[in-house]
Amino acid sequence: IFIGVSRSGYPRYYGRICCIRLFGQEWYVGPHWYCSLIMTAVIGGIGSGYIFVIAPTTGSTQQVGGVVITGLSLAMFYRCVLKNPGILSAERRWDGGAIPEQNFPSTGTRRCNVCDI
């Protein structure tokens, strides 16, 4: 699926976090996206090791269970990875009425007076 700027305004950028719309949902990709690929390899590697090395010696039920558990683990992992991190939707408004966006990475030296982060 090609991801480009559409009429609806996606992808949107909140600092270094990119928001894209796929399959009717908003998905968020942060600056450490490559770590999710590493974790996918770890989950898939451990699951595959169990499915192809350990489970065949114990029976087909264990292999099916390994496939189901590995698939569910990957699905829940990506569900967590691609969700809104929670810092993007401020509930408080500042005096100007609009919700400000952070367009650059924070250095950690001062806190935002609007979202208190």
Side-chain angles (χ1 to χ4, degrees):
I1 297 174
F2 176 73
I3 302 172
V5 177
S6 65
R7 292 181 190 163
S8 62
Y10 288 94
R12 294 179 182 162
Y13 289 91
Y14 303 98
R16 296 177 62 196
I17 298 174
C18 176
C19 176
I20 57 177
R21 191 177 226 5
L22 288 176
F23 309 115
Q25 292 185 342
E26 290 183 340
W27 297 25
Y28 296 83
V29 180
H32 303 295
W33 60 268
Y34 58 89
C35 295
S36 63
L37 297 179
I38 295 169
M39 192 63 187
T40 299
V42 169
I43 294 170
I46 291 172
S48 296
Y50 178 77
I51 293 166
F52 295 113
V53 177
I54 298 170
T57 62
T58 59
S60 62
T61 306
Q62 294 292 322
Q63 277 185 305
V64 171
V67 169
V68 169
I69 295 299
T70 302
L72 288 174
S73 296
L74 285 170
M76 292 302 110
F77 172 68
Y78 274 107
R79 186 174 176 171
C80 291
V81 165
L82 298 173
K83 284 293 188 183
N84 184 342
I87 61 171
L88 300 179
S89 55
E91 295 180 8
R92 292 188 279 173
R93 293 187 176 269
W94 67 301
D95 297 333
I99 299 174
E101 297 177 4
Q102 181 178 353
N103 295 320
F104 53 90
S106 174
T107 60
T109 56
R110 65 184 178 106
R111 298 176 69 83
C112 175
N113 61 352
V114 175
C115 60
D116 199 28
I117 294 177

